[in-house]
Amino acid sequence: MTPLPWRRIAWLINRRIGLSLAWCGLIAGAAVAANVAGVRVVGDVAGWERWMRVHAGVFLAWRLCLYAITARGWWWMRQRVLMREPSAETRQRFVRIEIAAVAAIGLMEGSAWLQDGQGGHQP
């Protein structure tokens, strides 16, 4: 007997995964709504892009604040986990995660910086 089709996707019904998917959808929807609203307020896509370029410093400050808040939360969580599991393996796991996170943020910010023409390449 073949399994029912709904059993194949039963993992989607899992509460944790469902909440994660809902949050991702909410964040993506908010980003789309913000862009659509911005284009309508400014008038066209070119105007919206100009507005975004003019206010890039404010967005950088916003991202830096988010990174700082996230780092503080990470440090708090890291200390709690290390008190509960003080093994060398746990510390190594954290170091690998931290290196990957810093590399990802560095690559994203570096990419944005180079795309804006501030990386020494002026068209």
Side-chain angles (χ1 to χ4, degrees), residues 7-30:
R7 285 189 184 232
R8 291 181 192 159
I9 58 171
W11 61 273
L12 281 175
I13 300 171
N14 183 335
R15 181 180 168 96
R16 204 177 264 179
I17 292 174
L19 284 173
S20 296
L21 289 173
W23 273 108
C24 289
L26 183 67
I27 290 169

Side-chain angles (χ1 to χ4, degrees), residues 26-53 59:
L26 183 67
I27 290 169
V32 169
N35 278 295
V36 169
V39 169
R40 289 192 181 199
V41 166
V42 176
D44 61 350
V45 174
W48 177 241
E49 288 175 352
R50 273 191 309 278
W51 185 89
M52 296 272 286
R53 261 194 315 276
F59 290 119

